[in-house]
Amino acid sequence: MNAIEIENLQKSFGTRRAVDGISLAVRQGEIFSLLGPNGAGKTTTLAMLSTLLRPDGGDARILGHSIKHESAAVKASLGVVPQDIALYMDLTARENLDFWGRMYGLRGGALRQRVDEVLEMIGLTERQKDPVGKYSGGMKRRVNIGAALLHKPKVIYMDEPTVGIDPQSRRSILDSVVALKEQGMTVLYTTHYMEEAQELSDHLAIMDSGRLIASGTQQELIQLVGGLDRIRLAINGDVERVLATWRTITGVKQATVEEGLLMLLVEDSNQALPRLFESAAAAGVRITSVEIQEPNLEAVFLHLTGRALRDG
Amino acid sequence: MEGTAALLKTFDIARKDLLRSFRSAFLLMFMFGIPLLVTGMFALMFGNLQESASPPETADAGQVSMEAAAAALLDVQSPFPERQPVSSGNMVTNVIGPVMGGMLIFFAFFTAVSAAQTILKEEEEGTLPRLFTTPTSAAAILNGKFLAVGLTVLVQISLLLAASALIFHIPWGSLASAALTALGATGAATGFGIFFVSLLKNMRQAGAVTGGLLTLTGMLGMMPVFASSASGEVSPLLLVSRCVPQGWAVNGLLLGLHSASLGEVALNSLALLIWTLAFLWIGVRRFRQRYMKG
């Protein structure tokens, strides 16, 4: 069963189409990543799915509730982790969680118990009485996530939750996302970090300029670029002569020279590399460096848009 | 059931805002410290505080003074168990009281605007949009913010009236007239704050215009303070002060100070109520249009 179903969702700001008719489905209990550069329309999509923005066209259903017509039911079933830290810096972590819990309708003993559990979950029980403003960036991010978990939502949106934090906190957040999935939550995760999308996602979609340009599992998306490995080599010798020889080696699909380096597209780098070294030795050429790049989402994005993901 | 839940959330939002306001040392200094300090300076400048605060010889029977109420609240013996008579030569009623009244109203309006600006601030800091993602209605959120403005100002005005009665022995009139004026001034300041902030787009814009507007309207409103301390009568020029709500609020305090009848005070508070309703009608509508259009 699908937790989120989006149909032809559209939103424009003036003449700019921020979200241009996207459709997708997110299964219950999975981590689904929306991957795309800054300005791709990810946050606007989440704002519509959170009922913060009203779509110009299309609709979406969260656990069967329409974002256009049943916003109260949608909000009750959702936990939203905003991109920027949205907490009261002069209140303590406990006071913040207590307040957000109340906004989700929790009261009394149930609220106190849940705040205790969430503080434990985000590892801030010891520092619960410190004002959030005195926390490190990573700790603030953890409280930011904790505030969305108080009411045990079935669906949680996380909008670039690892932006601007240290590697240790990032690791902790990524682990917590996996833990949420293990607890049965459906996670819709937006990021422009390809590595995060690759590590976390059961399914993912790539957005660019408000449009959904591809979606599926990681393997399905990588098939779009043919599943070829990229090998980049530097050699000490006649590049053109070597190039002509290597084009004839079995498994090498493409060989070009880029900025003085040999760029090869091969079916399997494990099988191709020994042959390349043998051929180089026979020709009296020395290979001075090798870099192997397995096909990844960066290559998919490059293939589909002609731009690198980080170019924006 | 839903109505009760919304009401509880409204109170939770107001409670959170009050907690934040009264935890800020800067805000506390601004709300209470400066008005009392300025009045204290006037008290020192204009004569012997102790002497000016000597107990009156006459009193109206049957009326409970604001000071007596404050003293009872704090369980201390009041040096002024009953109302002070009008006397043009009395430093407390003609100098210190009016200055304190002017300061009190001036800073109460500052507080109201500052508290209402938390709506813009929360919008920019992302907590307001986050509130809108929770199952809390936009009406409950806005009502909570508005309630916080009103309660903050009410606490400020009440404490300043009580503190100034105790420290400077200012007789604010009967408890009923002081309460009427306090409520009227609270309403007008709250309405003014919500109205003014509803006209602003963001905190940057607020920073540019707030100080100037509040100083201008505040000074206009304080005109009766200096006039009454000079001559004991309000000149026609001072009718200008009635063009701003601060003028009516200051006038309410001066009426109490000069032992005006409860009817006069009530009439003045009615004018404050009209200001309140006019400001709230526009301000609340504008905020609702802004946040509840979806």
Side-chain angles (χ1 to χ4, degrees):
Chain A
M1 186 184 165
N2 292 326
I4 304 171
E5 287 173 339
I6 303 175
E7 283 178 39
N8 194 29
L9 207 59
Q10 297 163 31
K11 185 73 192 175
S12 296
F13 298 107
T15 54
R16 190 176 68 86
R17 302 204 86 173
V19 175
D20 194 0
I22 68 167
S23 299
L24 59 86
V26 178
R27 291 178 196 162
Q28 259 184 26
E30 74 170 356
I31 300 174
F32 190 104
S33 293
L34 273 179
L35 177 69
N38 293 328
K42 306 185 296 289
T43 299
T44 306
T45 302
L46 281 198
M48 286 190 282
L49 296 180
S50 317
T51 75
L52 274 180
L53 281 179
R54 194 169 174 81
D56 295 336
D59 197 0
R61 292 190 166 274
I62 314 300
L63 299 172
H65 303 294
S66 161
I67 58 167
K68 276 176 141 176
H69 309 295
E70 298 164 278
S71 66
V74 168
K75 286 175 179 179
S77 57
L78 275 184
V80 180
V81 181
Q83 185 171 356
D84 296 319
I85 293 161
L87 298 168
Y88 299 103
M89 295 298 157
D90 44 359
L91 299 186
T92 66
R94 184 168 200 98
E95 286 167 343
N96 264 287
L97 293 178
D98 180 90
F99 173 73
W100 290 109
R102 287 170 188 273
M103 292 303 103
Y104 283 106
L106 299 173
R107 308 259 150 208
L111 173 62
R112 274 193 299 278
Q113 187 189 338
R114 192 59 192 146
V115 168
D116 285 338
E117 287 171 8
V118 170
L119 281 167
E120 185 73 34
M121 199 188 299
I122 60 177
L124 288 171
T125 304
E126 301 293 315
R127 302 274 313 264
Q128 61 175 292
K129 290 182 179 170
D130 292 349
V132 170
K134 290 189 175 172
Y135 286 176
S136 68
M139 289 161 81
K140 286 177 190 163
R141 287 261 168 216
R142 274 143 61 194
V143 183
N144 204 36
I145 293 172
L149 304 176
L150 289 154
H151 59 305
K152 297 184 180 172
K154 291 194 173 75
V155 177
I156 183 159
Y157 302 158
M158 304 181 97
D159 192 5
E160 311 223 22
T162 60
V163 169
I165 59 170
D166 59 278
Q168 196 183 346
S169 297
R170 187 182 189 193
R171 182 72 264 152
S172 161
I173 287 173
L174 295 182
D175 289 345
S176 70
V177 176
V178 174
L180 294 177
K181 180 196 164 184
E182 285 166 358
Q183 290 169 29
M185 288 186 200
T186 306
V187 182
L188 180 58
Y189 190 94
T190 76
T191 182
H192 63 271
Y193 294 127
M194 176 202 68
E195 305 83 2
E196 287 183 7
Q198 285 192 163
E199 179 183 335
L200 295 173
S201 316
D202 296 303
H203 285 88
L204 52 94
I206 299 178
M207 282 190 80
D208 185 44
S209 304
R211 287 178 299 113
L212 207 65
I213 55 176
S215 69
T217 63
Q218 197 175 308
Q219 286 68 32
E220 285 167 351
L221 291 179
I222 286 167
Q223 286 304 313
L224 293 173
V225 287
L228 301 175
D229 293 348
R230 272 155 60 107
I231 304 176
R232 190 201 307 240
L233 301 109
I235 61 165
N236 188 358
D238 185 347
V239 172
E240 290 302 326
R241 191 164 63 89
V242 171
L243 202 62
T245 310
W246 283 1
R247 279 182 179 139
T248 62
I249 291 175
T250 311
V252 175
K253 295 293 177 188
Q254 192 180 331
T256 55
V257 180
E258 288 178 20
E259 296 171 355
L261 296 173
L262 286 157
M263 304 293 294
L264 281 72
L265 279 177
V266 301
E267 285 174 350
D268 183 345
S269 54
N270 278 351
Q271 289 178 8
L273 271 173
R275 293 177 195 141
L276 295 174
F277 273 94
E278 275 175 29
S279 168
V285 171
R286 187 177 173 79
I287 296 175
T288 55
S289 81
V290 179
E291 186 189 332
I292 304 166
Q293 200 178 26
E294 287 190 335
N296 59 22
L297 296 172
E298 177 80 49
V300 175
F301 190 82
L302 186 69
H303 173 73
L304 293 172
T305 67
R307 301 194 318 274
L309 195 52
R310 283 179 179 78
D311 289 347
Chain B
M1 193 65 186
E2 270 186 26
T4 310
L7 197 63
L8 284 174
K9 288 179 181 180
T10 295
F11 287 129
D12 286 330
I13 291 166
R15 191 177 66 108
K16 177 262 300 170
D17 277 4
L18 287 174
L19 186 67
R20 296 183 73 202
S21 293
F22 291 108
R23 191 174 276 179
S24 160
F26 174 77
L27 216 60
L28 289 177
M29 187 64 199
F30 194 76
M31 288 168 70
F32 303 107
I34 296 177
L36 290 171
L37 266 172
V38 172
T39 308
M41 282 164 58
F42 268 82
L44 288 173
M45 275 192 298
F46 283 88
N48 187 324
L49 180 62
Q50 203 63 35
E51 191 181 310
S52 69
S54 61
E57 288 172 5
T58 59
D60 287 354
Q63 290 211 31
V64 182
S65 75
M66 182 67 204
E67 186 181 34
L73 195 68
L74 299 172
D75 196 25
V76 295
Q77 188 64 44
S78 169
F80 282 98
E82 288 167 305
R83 203 179 70 186
Q84 203 170 13
V86 177
S87 161
S88 60
N90 191 305
M91 195 62 74
V92 174
T93 49
N94 286 342
V95 178
I96 300 168
V99 167
M100 183 67 220
M103 287 290 119
L104 189 154
I105 297 303
F106 187 82
F107 283 95
F109 275 71
F110 257 99
T111 299
V113 170
S114 168
Q117 279 178 357
T118 63
I119 299 173
L120 299 180
K121 210 170 169 194
E122 282 210 40
E123 185 177 356
E124 289 174 18
E125 288 171 352
T127 44
L128 193 64
R130 186 172 199 165
L131 270 171
F132 287 127
T133 69
T134 68
T136 307
S137 69
I141 293 168
L142 289 177
N143 289 341
K145 301 295 293 179
F146 300 154
L147 182 63
V149 179
L151 289 176
T152 306
V153 176
L154 183 63
V155 169
Q156 182 190 20
I157 290 180
S158 304
L159 285 182
L160 280 178
L161 283 175
S164 58
L166 281 172
I167 299 168
F168 305 114
H169 309 291
I170 300 170
W172 293 115
S174 70
L175 186 62
S177 71
L180 264 179
T181 300
L183 286 173
T186 298
T190 303
F192 180 82
I194 290 165
F195 161 75
F196 175 58
V197 174
S198 77
L199 303 176
L200 302 172
K201 281 184 183 165
N202 50 43
M203 283 302 289
R204 197 173 163 186
Q205 201 180 51
V209 296
T210 302
L213 182 93
L214 280 173
T215 305
L216 180 71
T217 53
M219 294 310 284
L220 279 175
M222 281 171 71
M223 285 173 104
V225 169
F226 303 107
S228 67
S229 58
S231 65
E233 288 182 8
V234 177
S235 76
L237 185 68
L238 298 184
L239 289 176
V240 175
S241 72
R242 306 299 162 83
C243 297
V244 291
Q246 287 96 323
W248 291 90
V250 168
N251 188 54
L253 291 177
L254 294 183
L255 284 173
L257 204 56
H258 293 293
S259 310
S261 70
L262 194 60
E264 284 179 273
V265 175
L267 205 61
N268 190 77
S269 291
L270 187 66
L272 284 169
L273 180 66
I274 293 168
W275 278 105
T276 305
L277 294 176
F279 282 139
L280 284 180
W281 189 73
I282 301 169
V284 171
R285 267 171 67 99
R286 286 184 63 86
F287 272 120
R288 283 178 183 240
Q289 279 168 0
R290 185 165 173 169
Y291 294 115
M292 295 170 70
K293 58 189 172 191

